[in-house]
Amino acid sequence: MSRLLTDEEITRQLGELAGWERDGEAITASYDAPDFPTAIRLVDEVAGEAEEMNHHPDIDIRWKVTQWRLSTHSEGGLTQLDIELAHRIAQAAQRLGANAKERPA
C-alpha cells in the first residue's frame, strides 16, 4: 500500500509534469494526439503500463484528445503510484507525438 502524499509533495511533483494539475483528490491531464489512431495507441501503451503497476487510470477519448484522471481510490487520494503513472503517460505521449493541452484559465 502506498501512503497519501502531502500537499507539498503533490505540488512539487506536479511541477515536473507539464500539463498535469490537481483536481481535488486526483490529478488530471489531456493530450492531443496527431490523429485518432495515435490517441488509441497512447491508451493501449498506457494500458500495459497500468496493468503492470496494477494501477488503472480513468480515461476519456474524444477524437484525438485523451483525458486522464489519476487517484489511488483504495487510499482515498493521491499516492506516489499516481505520480509514477502520470510520468509514464507523459513519456508515452511524447514518444507518440501527443502534446499536453493547457487548461483554459
Side-chain angles (χ1 to χ4, degrees), residues 12-64:
R12 179 177 48 78
Q13 293 191 64
L14 283 179
E16 301 168 2
L17 284 162
W20 286 86
E21 65 182 30
R22 188 172 185 177
D23 181 14
E25 297 305 317
I27 56 175
T28 63
S30 294
Y31 287 92
D32 190 0
D35 52 33
F36 182 71
T38 303
I40 297 303
R41 278 196 301 278
L42 174 58
V43 170
D44 188 52
E45 277 197 28
V46 172
E49 297 275 343
E51 191 66 15
E52 180 181 295
M53 294 174 69
N54 193 30
H55 192 63
H56 305 94
D58 294 333
I59 308 166
D60 182 53
I61 306 166
R62 306 288 170 120
W63 183 36
K64 60 185 187 125

Side-chain angles (χ1 to χ4, degrees), residues 7-8 11 17 21 25-26 29 32 35-36 41 49-50 56 62 65-66 70 72-73 81 88-90 95 97 102 105:
D7 288 339
E8 181 182 316
T11 299
L17 284 162
E21 65 182 30
E25 297 305 317
D32 190 0
D35 52 33
F36 182 71
R41 278 196 301 278
E49 297 275 343
H56 305 94
R62 306 288 170 120
V65 176
T66 57
L70 306 177
T72 305
H73 304 291
L81 284 172
R88 292 184 187 198
I89 293 166
R95 278 193 307 275
E102 294 299 320

